[in-house]
Every structure is written in structure tokens, then in C-alpha cells.
Amino acid sequence: SSGINAEYGAIKETCHPLQGTTGRNILIWTDSLSSIMALQATTINSKTAKSCYNALNALGQHNTLEIRWIAAHTGLWGNEKADQLAKLGTTEGTPITCPIPHSLIKRRINQKVQKLDNIEWSRNGHLHTKVALGRKKAEIIGQLNNCLGKDRKKYRIAAQLITGHCPLNKYLH
């Protein structure tokens, strides 16, 4: 995901010095076929891709604009030079900020919440289950197994009662 965002950023940055140009035939080469295909899609969900798309459209309003694919790592001088400059850009110079995709932020937050929840669960367990079963957990579960037989509906209700996921309508009174 960050690789394709870097490609979008590179294409967008290519457009900036060319803004204000009119009546020219502009050809942009990229070794990222996936970015070309994504920019040609009917819907674009990524903010970075949309920003790149908008920069290309602005440039293409007054020019003939074409984006072409070039094979990567095949010894073509221009592409090798671009890779060399990209590698240099990771260690020197002013960084170009690429916005972090919303999906990455959401995934990281969800991972952190799940990790904290797992820590809390392993530390304290489920409070409602502890209250419902008390210290005789194994004995009560054994009695439930004997009592409920193979009735799935009764097992479901018992599990809901024990875990606190049962609608008892207590809030109505």
C-alpha cells in the first residue's frame, strides 16, 4: 500500500513543475502498472490516488497528456536513474509527505484496541461470567451439561445468561 502511494506521489510531483504549461505533448513514464490501472478505474477510493488523478487532470486540461508503463529493473537508463534518485530520496533531501491512508489508520487503531482488550481479558477475564459462575465454575458447567442435554436453544440461552449477552428486559422496569 505504501509503495503504490509513493508512486502516486511521484506522479503527482511530476505534474507540479509542469503546471501552467499549455499546448504541449506530455509523456509520463512509470514502472508501476498497478498505479496506472488504478488511475484508470471508474472509482478511486484512495485520497492519495485521487490527489494524483486531480493533478493529472489539471495538467491535461491544456495539454495532451499520456502516462505509459515502462518495465522496471531492465537496464533502461531513465528508469534506473529514477530508481537511483528514489533511493537517494529516502536518505537525503526534503521529504515529500504522503498522507497516510484512512484504511491504515483504522487498521492500526483496531489492532491496538484488540491488543489492549486481549491484555485486559487475560488479566481479569469476563467479569459477568465470574459473577454468574462464582468459584464453582467447573461444577456449574457440569450440571448445565447434564441438565440441558442436546437442546441447542437451551444451551444458547444458558451461554447468553452466563456471558451477559442476554436480553432480560430489565431496563424496561
Side-chain angles (χ1 to χ4, degrees), residues 28-49:
I28 298 174
W29 292 91
T30 178
D31 61 7
S32 173
L33 186 58
S34 57
S35 64
I36 293 172
M37 292 173 69
L39 290 168
Q40 291 175 336
T42 54
T43 58
I44 298 175
N45 296 326
S46 163
K47 286 182 182 178
T48 312

Side-chain angles (χ1 to χ4, degrees), residues 34-166:
S34 57
S35 64
I36 293 172
M37 292 173 69
L39 290 168
Q40 291 175 336
T42 54
T43 58
I44 298 175
N45 296 326
S46 163
K47 286 182 182 178
T48 312
K50 193 170 218 84
S51 177
C52 176
Y53 181 82
N54 291 338
L56 288 167
N57 274 340
L59 185 59
Q61 283 180 346
H62 304 288
N63 299 286
T64 302
L65 179 63
E66 193 175 344
I67 300 178
R68 289 192 189 164
W69 177 75
I70 186 171
H73 310 293
T74 55
L76 297 168
W77 180 84
N79 190 48
E80 295 301 321
K81 187 67 176 172
D83 287 343
Q84 195 178 43
L85 290 171
K87 203 174 281 186
L88 184 65
T90 62
T91 58
E92 297 178 12
T94 306
I96 298 171
T97 57
C98 286
I100 299 171
H102 181 72
S103 59
L104 176 63
I105 295 168
K106 186 176 176 183
R107 184 172 57 243
R108 294 261 171 92
I109 290 170
N110 285 338
Q111 287 171 342
K112 183 67 173 181
V113 167
Q114 181 145 20
K115 182 179 178 184
L116 292 172
D117 189 45
N118 288 340
I119 291 169
E120 186 65 25
W121 178 266
S122 64
R123 188 180 307 145
N124 298 322
H126 192 279
L127 183 60
H128 187 85
T129 305
K130 282 183 178 179
V131 170
L133 296 179
R135 295 179 187 189
K136 299 180 180 182
K137 183 168 60 174
E139 182 182 327
I140 292 172
I141 291 173
Q143 288 175 0
L144 282 172
N145 284 335
N146 292 334
C147 190
L148 298 175
K150 294 187 178 189
D151 189 341
R152 289 180 56 132
K153 185 175 180 183
K154 288 180 182 175
Y155 264 114
R156 182 176 50 83
I157 292 169
Q160 288 176 335
L161 284 168
I162 291 168
T163 60
H165 298 283
C166 179

